[in-house]
Amino acid sequence: MIKANGKVYLSWDDITQSVDKLCKQISERSRTITSVTGLQRGGLIPAVLISHKLNIPYVDSIHPNTLVVDDICDTGETLSFVLEAPTAVLHYKPTAKLKPTFYAEEVGNDWIVYPWERKDSEPIQDYLSFPNIKD
């Protein structure tokens, strides 16, 4: 982990450690999870890593026993759309409007840049930076 310019840059080793923490929690606290899915875009990579480590199938749809994974619960906006399924994130900000079922680490207000993101990413939520797509 490197801190610079108000951002925290994570390495793949940091991600591996976080995934290991999550998998330990999931193994100890939940016997009902039968599949894993990741929210696009940030949750896809951690979900696949969790799927491999726990030997649980990765699926493209959410069922009541599907673990829904994202990289971070920042505001809680993204996870608020997940109903009646367990959730897991690498990083949780306690200022979020909801708390995920599992999280590897509670973090402060620094902007986190994951190794699968561009290093020059702007400190703004993805859903706020794209224009609304209308049918």
Side-chain angles (χ1 to χ4, degrees):
M1 170 177 40
I2 298 171
K3 288 187 176 192
N5 303 321
K7 296 179 182 179
V8 176
Y9 297 86
L10 299 179
S11 69
W12 284 106
D13 286 339
D14 296 324
I15 300 306
T16 299
Q17 290 174 15
S18 293
V19 166
D20 289 347
K21 285 180 189 177
L22 276 177
C23 289
K24 184 174 185 214
Q25 288 177 35
I26 295 162
S27 294
E28 291 174 350
R29 295 182 19 213
S30 181
R31 301 281 182 238
T32 60
I33 294 172
T34 58
S35 58
V36 178
T37 195
L39 296 179
Q40 296 178 16
R41 292 180 295 184
L44 293 174
I45 292 172
V48 169
L49 295 171
I50 290 168
S51 171
H52 283 292
K53 186 158 182 73
L54 294 178
N55 198 27
I56 298 172
Y58 183 90
V59 296
D60 290 325
S61 56
I62 300 172
H63 306 283
N65 292 334
T66 301
L67 179 66
V68 179
V69 180
D70 206 358
D71 51 1
I72 188 167
C73 181
D74 190 343
T75 63
E77 193 65 34
T78 306
L79 287 180
S80 69
F81 295 102
V82 178
L83 304 173
E84 300 182 29
T87 56
V89 296
L90 301 176
H91 300 99
Y92 162 65
K93 291 186 179 183
T95 54
K97 68 181 188 179
L98 61 84
K99 188 174 188 176
T101 312
F102 305 100
Y103 59 93
E105 185 178 356
E106 190 173 298
V107 295
N109 289 325
D110 288 329
W111 186 257
I112 297 176
V113 181
Y114 294 92
W116 53 84
E117 295 179 312
R118 292 172 44 153
K119 301 303 177 219
D120 63 348
S121 67
E122 294 294 324
I124 185 170
Q125 296 294 326
D126 281 352
Y127 62 85
L128 297 175
S129 64
F130 295 116
N132 289 333
I133 299 172
K134 297 184 180 180
D135 296 335

